[in-house]
Amino acid sequence: MLMETILNLPIENKIFYAVLVFSWTVYLWEAYLAYRQRRIYRLTMHVPQELGKIMDTDTFEKSRLYQLDKSNFSFWSGLYSETEGTLILLLGGIPFVWKVAGTVTARFGLGPEYEILQSLSFLILATLFSAFTGLPWSIYNTFVIEEKHGFNQQTLGFFLKDAVKKFIVTQCILLPVTSLLLYIIKIGGEFFFIYAWLFTLGVSLVLVTIYADYIAPLFDKFTPLPEGELKEEIESMSKSISFPLTKVYVVEGSKRSSHSNAYFYGFFKNKRIVLFDTLLEDYSPLNKDGEPETDTPTEDKSKLKVRLTPLRRELGHFHVDAEMSSIQFSPLPLSLQMNSFLCFFLFAVLIGQKELFMAFGFYNSQPTLIGLMIIFQFIFSPYNEVLSFCLTVLSRRFEFQADSFARGMGRASELYSALIKLNKDNLGFPVADWLFSMWHYSHPPLLERLRALGSTKQD
């Protein structure tokens, strides 16, 4: 009887309920995986035998409690997010906001024919709603969980100022890019999906190119790494693998958090390295006294090597990617761009299906922006889940390759020490449920990576 009722539903109702059912199925699957991992946090009370000599009980317990708190927070925030999304769909939130956006543009004497302007108004309203509903969760995560475990370095004033700045910068990028994309789709004719894909590809390349030089400095202070042993070692290391290094920066990440990281960016012969000052400690030119360290003659050589090892791994990614691609584009971004082209092609096939719009409350109009949202966010969601898992598996493979590269440089012992140091500094928990790890971890868990390196660290 129930099956017969479902089969007799209009196609738009079937689409709507299928979207809801799939969304909750994914949520319950994620909740189950998180439950498995929380059991690991609760029941693993002692340092694994393999780590007995390199991780003390106090650090292990701190990391266990930190990850347990994060997991509990993720459960409640995830439940809220899923419930909110369901209520928005059930109560017709999307067509309601679209109607409000139309009212806003109408106040300026602009009718429905100004769809792009109404779309921009819709985006502003939607992102404002998202920012306000997400703010309490972000505040709790920063000032309760991160503060409790010693990572937060922000004041509430700095946090709120930063949130406003992020919102403004996001709008400054999002609105013109969206308006141009919608315009291209409108005038692109039969092959608009090719032009739309090329446009988004171009925007991605521009943003990657200008991010660290023009966008990131709006939020954090970037300072050139001063001359000294550290910079010489980085330049020598880059030269050894033909990495076209042009600049090395230190970013003042310590004013936000004590977490550490390192990365590189740029294209072709113009690549730059960014080091977090939390990774470099007293090497940072942004130290507590505000005076650059131009000479470090007393720096322990082993500490220098350990601090450079995460960077060696990032350069390992470059080396592996360069071997796989003569134009030196990483395989992961290439896969994402191929996926982007496929999605735009399928969007071109589906955009004319009025049932998709009717399923979400749009009976009299088919706005392009709403079509993008429905198709990319809801209709493609099963495909996106499969793609996300495949990219996670691929990323883990590249991580192992980068580890192997560092080992091939004769740095296995240093990498071993660096992985342990970074794990301790960031309170990473070394034990993971196999299913949770397989589904979520783009970087392999600590124990897996140490096993892959072998017993190279004896002291």
Side-chain angles (χ1 to χ4, degrees), residues 117-223:
L117 292 178
Q118 186 173 349
S119 298
L120 299 184
S121 179
F122 174 88
L123 273 180
I124 294 173
L125 293 172
T127 51
L128 269 174
F129 175 82
S130 178
F132 277 111
T133 57
L135 185 61
W137 296 98
S138 183
I139 289 175
Y140 184 88
N141 180 59
T142 302
F143 293 98
V144 176
I145 295 179
E146 295 294 304
E147 184 81 29
K148 174 182 176 183
H149 295 279
F151 287 115
N152 177 48
Q153 305 293 327
Q154 304 179 70
T155 63
L156 182 59
F158 176 88
F159 175 89
L160 294 175
K161 178 183 176 183
D162 205 46
V164 171
K165 192 187 296 184
K166 285 179 182 177
F167 181 83
I168 293 173
V169 171
T170 299
Q171 299 307 308
C172 289
I173 297 172
L174 179 64
L175 297 182
V177 168
T178 301
S179 61
L180 286 172
L181 176 61
L182 294 177
Y183 182 71
I184 289 170
I185 293 174
K186 291 283 186 185
I187 68 167
E190 185 179 357
F191 299 103
F192 77 83
F193 63 94
I194 298 177
Y195 310 132
W197 172 70
L198 288 173
F199 172 71
T200 56
L201 174 61
V203 169
S204 299
L205 295 178
V206 169
L207 288 178
V208 168
T209 302
I210 69 172
Y211 174 77
D213 288 328
Y214 300 101
I215 300 176
L218 296 174
F219 303 95
D220 297 299
K221 184 177 181 180
F222 284 70
T223 304

Side-chain angles (χ1 to χ4, degrees), residues 26 47 56 101 112 134 147 161 195 210 216 251 258 267 281 293 296 329 365 385 389 418 442:
V26 171
V47 181
D56 60 90
E147 184 81 29
K161 178 183 176 183
Y195 310 132
I210 69 172
V251 58
S258 55
F267 294 104
E281 298 175 3
E293 295 286 347
T296 56
F329 278 111
S365 62
E385 288 296 322
F389 174 70
S442 59

Side-chain angles (χ1 to χ4, degrees), residues 288-308:
K288 294 180 181 179
D289 297 326
E291 295 296 331
E293 295 286 347
T294 56
D295 192 21
T296 56
T298 61
E299 176 69 14
D300 189 292
K301 296 287 186 180
S302 63
K303 288 184 180 179
L304 173 58
K305 291 178 180 178
V306 168
R307 290 173 185 176
L308 283 173

Side-chain angles (χ1 to χ4, degrees), residues 176-414:
V177 168
T178 301
S179 61
L180 286 172
L181 176 61
L182 294 177
Y183 182 71
I184 289 170
I185 293 174
K186 291 283 186 185
I187 68 167
E190 185 179 357
F191 299 103
F192 77 83
F193 63 94
I194 298 177
Y195 310 132
W197 172 70
L198 288 173
F199 172 71
T200 56
L201 174 61
V203 169
S204 299
L205 295 178
V206 169
L207 288 178
V208 168
T209 302
I210 69 172
Y211 174 77
D213 288 328
Y214 300 101
I215 300 176
L218 296 174
F219 303 95
D220 297 299
K221 184 177 181 180
F222 284 70
T223 304
L225 183 68
E227 299 296 330
E229 184 181 2
L230 177 60
K231 187 174 182 180
E232 291 172 2
E233 180 70 16
I234 291 174
E235 290 173 344
S236 173
M237 184 168 50
S238 301
K239 187 176 180 181
S240 69
I241 62 165
S242 302
F243 180 80
L245 177 65
T246 56
K247 293 181 181 179
V248 184
Y249 291 111
V250 178
V251 58
E252 191 180 11
S254 58
K255 69 178 182 179
R256 299 174 183 277
S257 170
S258 55
H259 290 295
S260 55
N261 201 359
Y263 64 90
F264 71 83
Y265 69 98
F267 294 104
F268 304 110
K269 300 300 182 182
N270 184 31
K271 294 190 181 292
R272 303 172 186 188
I273 288 173
V274 177
L275 308 171
F276 280 49
D277 61 344
T278 48
L279 178 66
L280 303 180
E281 298 175 3
D282 55 341
Y283 259 115
S284 173
L286 309 171
N287 54 56
K288 294 180 181 179
D289 297 326
E291 295 296 331
E293 295 286 347
T294 56
D295 192 21
T296 56
T298 61
E299 176 69 14
D300 189 292
K301 296 287 186 180
S302 63
K303 288 184 180 179
L304 173 58
K305 291 178 180 178
V306 168
R307 290 173 185 176
L308 283 173
T309 303
L311 181 56
R312 284 195 180 95
R313 291 191 57 267
E314 294 304 312
L315 294 178
H317 284 300
F318 163 81
H319 184 75
V320 170
D321 294 346
E323 287 185 342
M324 297 180 68
S325 172
S326 60
I327 60 173
Q328 296 180 0
F329 278 111
S330 171
L332 273 177
L334 277 177
S335 343
L336 291 173
Q337 289 304 330
M338 286 168 26
N339 167 69
S340 176
F341 178 81
L342 174 63
C343 288
F344 272 114
F345 171 74
L346 294 176
F347 169 77
V349 173
L350 296 173
I351 188 63
Q353 304 299 314
K354 63 180 181 179
E355 292 83 2
L356 292 178
F357 292 88
M358 293 170 64
F360 295 90
F362 289 84
Y363 298 98
N364 302 317
S365 62
Q366 298 177 29
T368 303
L369 177 66
I370 301 301
L372 285 167
M373 179 186 298
I374 291 173
I375 294 172
F376 277 80
Q377 183 175 343
F378 299 123
I379 305 304
F380 287 172
S381 54
Y383 167 73
N384 290 336
E385 288 296 322
V386 174
L387 177 67
S388 176
F389 174 70
C390 292
L391 291 177
T392 297
V393 173
L394 192 61
S395 177
R396 286 164 66 102
R397 178 185 175 189
F398 291 152
E399 289 299 321
F400 279 123
Q401 287 178 337
D403 287 355
S404 177
F405 174 77
R407 181 176 59 191
M409 292 179 69
R411 308 294 187 178
S413 179
E414 295 161 20

